[in-house]
Amino acid sequence: MLTISQLAAYAGVTVRAVRHYHRIGLLQEPERDRSGYRTYDAAAVVRLIRIRTLADAGVPLARVQELLAAGPEEFADGVQEIDKALRAEIRRLQDTRSRLARLAAGEHLALPQSVVDYLDRLRVLGVEERYIEMERDAWIMIAAQVPHSIDSVIAKKHEELDDPDMVKLYSLLSGALDWPVDDPRVVEIADIMERLMIRAEEAGEVGADDGIDEQFVDLLDSTTANSSPVAERLRAILEERGWRGWIRFERVPADRLNTDLPPS
């Protein structure tokens, strides 16, 4: 007969593990002998080894009892079910690891790959990192608002980058954060933006439902307008010409124009 220490040693587990198996009912705890000691037989060693083998294979302890009591077919089915769950968990962990690896790049935090690819394309065009960071933050908020349509939105942005006017616009906006408000290039930016707005209007894209609520659009517009004095002057010039908005622009009827705007 074996002491608990001997039993643990033969089965390759700790005494603490044996006691834990007693508590949860996986291994029957023997009665004390006349000397007051609990002793174990060979059957206990065999059962403990089986418990350890299942546990080491990744079987949850809550399922071990069921498998030990199962017949051959039930045992095989149970193992297959556990294996299926483990494979699903492995895929989840691999996905988590991939996400963590991508987070090292910074922009993958809260951004889908399509947006990251778009920002990388802006870098290839020579857009300054400061401006890209501003746009990135806006896309983070937009992606959170319309997660199911963000890829199609970005696909449209890629199409727009095939337009020389859009490429020129980005090249100008990239350095505009440090310009004085009376820099003549501000008017050049307004001219390009107006041309793009007119084309969008002619294509029927103005006023299209983009799934973003009005309050959120106002937040993005105000954030953009407050990003620099140049942005505020651009807003004023465009409104003077009959356009309003940054994220979702619109024609402004003449009777609603702000006649107190400074001249462009």
Side-chain angles (χ1 to χ4, degrees), residues 18 24 48 61 84 95 103 105 128 144 146 160 176 184 197 202:
V18 175
I24 64 177
L48 185 54
L61 290 180
K84 181 179 179 180
D95 182 62
L103 288 181
E128 288 185 1
V146 288
E160 292 174 356
M197 290 174 177
E202 291 173 347

Side-chain angles (χ1 to χ4, degrees), residues 171-222:
S171 70
L172 290 168
L173 288 174
S174 177
L177 295 174
D178 298 322
W179 294 351
V181 293
D182 58 352
D183 191 302
R185 289 173 294 181
V186 177
V187 176
E188 183 181 1
I189 291 177
D191 291 341
I192 295 173
M193 291 180 68
E194 186 172 22
R195 286 200 299 272
L196 292 170
M197 290 174 177
I198 290 172
R199 290 176 201 161
E201 185 180 48
E202 291 173 347
E205 296 170 356
V206 176
D209 183 13
D210 51 19
I212 305 176
D213 67 67
E214 201 66 38
Q215 184 176 5
F216 185 70
V217 171
D218 290 343
L219 171 64
L220 291 177
D221 279 353
S222 63

Side-chain angles (χ1 to χ4, degrees), residues 9 36 41 46 51 97 125 135-136 150 163 170 185 207 215-216 227 253 260:
D41 57 16
V46 172
I51 292 171
R97 289 192 66 213
L125 292 174
E135 185 146 331
R136 176 202 63 201
I150 187 65
D163 186 329
Y170 266 116
R185 289 173 294 181
Q215 184 176 5
F216 185 70
S227 62
D260 296 328

Side-chain angles (χ1 to χ4, degrees), residues 190-259:
D191 291 341
I192 295 173
M193 291 180 68
E194 186 172 22
R195 286 200 299 272
L196 292 170
M197 290 174 177
I198 290 172
R199 290 176 201 161
E201 185 180 48
E202 291 173 347
E205 296 170 356
V206 176
D209 183 13
D210 51 19
I212 305 176
D213 67 67
E214 201 66 38
Q215 184 176 5
F216 185 70
V217 171
D218 290 343
L219 171 64
L220 291 177
D221 279 353
S222 63
T223 300
T224 302
N226 294 331
S227 62
S228 75
V230 167
E232 177 56 30
R233 181 163 183 246
L234 270 173
R235 182 204 63 77
I237 293 172
L238 290 169
E239 186 164 335
E240 184 181 41
R241 296 180 181 185
W243 297 96
R244 179 172 295 163
W246 291 94
I247 306 303
R248 185 190 293 146
F249 55 86
E250 61 177 344
R251 283 280 193 182
V252 183
D255 60 355
R256 288 169 52 199
L257 287 175
N258 183 356
T259 57

Side-chain angles (χ1 to χ4, degrees), residues 20-156:
H20 178 64
Y21 296 151
H22 284 328
R23 284 195 298 272
I24 64 177
L26 280 180
L27 183 67
Q28 184 176 356
E29 189 171 13
E31 297 293 332
R32 295 183 184 275
D33 60 19
R34 292 179 180 179
S35 300
Y37 294 101
R38 300 186 190 278
T39 56
Y40 300 83
D41 57 16
V45 177
V46 172
R47 183 173 178 85
L48 185 54
I49 290 173
R50 296 182 71 194
I51 292 171
R52 187 209 68 198
T53 302
L54 289 170
D56 288 349
V59 176
L61 290 180
R63 297 291 307 278
V64 169
Q65 180 77 281
E66 176 186 335
L67 290 177
L68 288 176
E73 290 186 8
E74 291 176 313
F75 183 87
D77 290 343
V79 169
Q80 287 181 359
E81 181 182 338
I82 293 168
D83 180 64
K84 181 179 179 180
L86 286 174
R87 282 186 279 116
E89 179 65 8
I90 288 170
R91 288 193 297 271
R92 186 190 68 79
L93 291 173
Q94 288 174 334
D95 182 62
T96 298
R97 289 192 66 213
S98 297
R99 288 173 181 267
L100 288 172
R102 291 197 302 268
L103 288 181
E107 285 174 354
H108 289 84
L109 181 60
L111 274 181
Q113 185 63 46
S114 60
V115 179
V116 174
D117 292 342
Y118 178 73
L119 296 177
D120 285 341
R121 187 174 175 186
L122 295 184
R123 291 187 175 93
V124 172
L125 292 174
V127 177
E128 288 185 1
E129 199 63 32
R130 276 197 308 163
Y131 184 86
I132 289 177
E133 289 174 1
M134 290 174 52
E135 185 146 331
R136 176 202 63 201
D137 290 347
W139 283 117
I140 287 174
M141 293 187 287
I142 293 171
Q145 288 289 310
V146 288
H148 301 299
S149 59
I150 187 65
D151 288 347
S152 61
V153 172
I154 288 297
K156 177 62 178 175

